[in-house]
Amino acid sequence: MFADLGAALASFGMPALAIVLFTVVVRLALHPFYRAAVRGEKAKAKLAPEIQKLQKKYGKDLMRFSEESQKVYKRNGVSMFAGMLPMLATIPFFMVIYQVVTTPNPLLDGTLFGISLGTHFTTGFAWVFFVLFGLLAVVAYVTVKWQQSRMTTTPTPGFMTGLVKVLPFGTILVAAYLPLAAGLYLLTTTTWTIAERALLYRILS
């Protein structure tokens, strides 16, 4: 199946562009899920101050804290898992894309600036990888700054503050390990993610 999908994308004649366009089409199809996720996250954020008060009140009594938190969410018509379930629904789609850009198929026989899309940084050391890493770093930096700006309005556990600063840059390590095609996909989808989330947080109530 993955080979057939890769062959179909490769048939467009510009495999690198096909990866970008295919990723964009999939992200557009998944937009309703992300829209629902952001709505859920914003609904939970509004209740965060009340949840923090419960956390201080019940301290280490996790059972009581959990019970009272559930009551708060239920009273306000908000699920404790709001923002998570829509995201989980998108996993199968990304598993398909991942297989297409990493499994040997006609798509990976294409090239980007003369470099095979199936080339790995660890074996090729092609200049295009350094451009890719630089662009991924820029997107990661923008993502970190945006997430930090969200922390000023949404209470965040201490350990998350550190993770937010480093996790987005993990895409560079992933791109260094996977084929160039996968790196191109990562650049497209991470750029889309930060742009989409920033927009949705701005326009959704």
Side-chain angles (χ1 to χ4, degrees), residues 52-63:
Q52 279 193 322
K53 290 180 181 178
L54 291 177
Q55 193 172 29
K56 292 179 180 179
K57 181 177 181 179
Y58 297 108
K60 296 181 180 180
D61 189 349
L62 298 180
M63 186 67 72

Side-chain angles (χ1 to χ4, degrees), residues 30-40 196 200 203-204:
L30 296 177
H31 178 73
F33 291 101
Y34 284 90
R35 199 177 184 90
V38 170
R39 284 189 184 279
E196 181 179 51
L200 289 177
I203 66 175
L204 293 181

Side-chain angles (χ1 to χ4, degrees), residues 31-169:
H31 178 73
F33 291 101
Y34 284 90
R35 199 177 184 90
V38 170
R39 284 189 184 279
E41 290 170 4
K42 296 192 74 171
K44 287 181 65 177
K46 291 179 180 179
L47 300 177
E50 192 170 351
I51 298 299
Q52 279 193 322
K53 290 180 181 178
L54 291 177
Q55 193 172 29
K56 292 179 180 179
K57 181 177 181 179
Y58 297 108
K60 296 181 180 180
D61 189 349
L62 298 180
M63 186 67 72
R64 185 65 187 279
F65 170 66
S66 177
E67 292 175 354
E68 295 300 324
S69 296
Q70 290 181 40
K71 291 179 182 178
V72 171
Y73 287 124
K74 187 175 181 179
R75 185 167 62 248
N76 290 275
V78 177
S79 169
M80 290 183 66
F81 303 102
M84 295 175 58
L85 295 181
M87 301 296 287
L88 292 176
T90 67
I91 291 178
F93 295 93
F94 288 110
M95 289 179 65
V96 170
I97 296 179
Y98 174 81
Q99 291 295 331
V100 170
V101 296
T102 58
T103 303
N105 66 73
L107 183 64
L108 270 63
D109 293 333
T111 61
L112 177 63
F113 299 116
I115 308 300
S116 171
L117 292 173
T119 301
H120 288 70
F121 172 69
T122 52
T123 57
F125 287 98
W127 65 269
V128 71
F129 277 101
F130 294 100
V131 175
L132 174 65
F133 297 158
L135 293 174
L136 285 172
V138 170
V139 176
Y141 176 79
V142 172
T143 300
V144 169
K145 287 301 181 182
W146 181 81
Q147 290 177 335
Q148 289 178 327
S149 70
R150 290 296 307 160
M151 289 180 182
T152 61
T153 56
T154 304
T156 305
F159 73 93
M160 284 297 295
T161 303
L163 287 177
V164 162
K165 294 180 179 179
V166 297
L167 281 181
F169 290 95

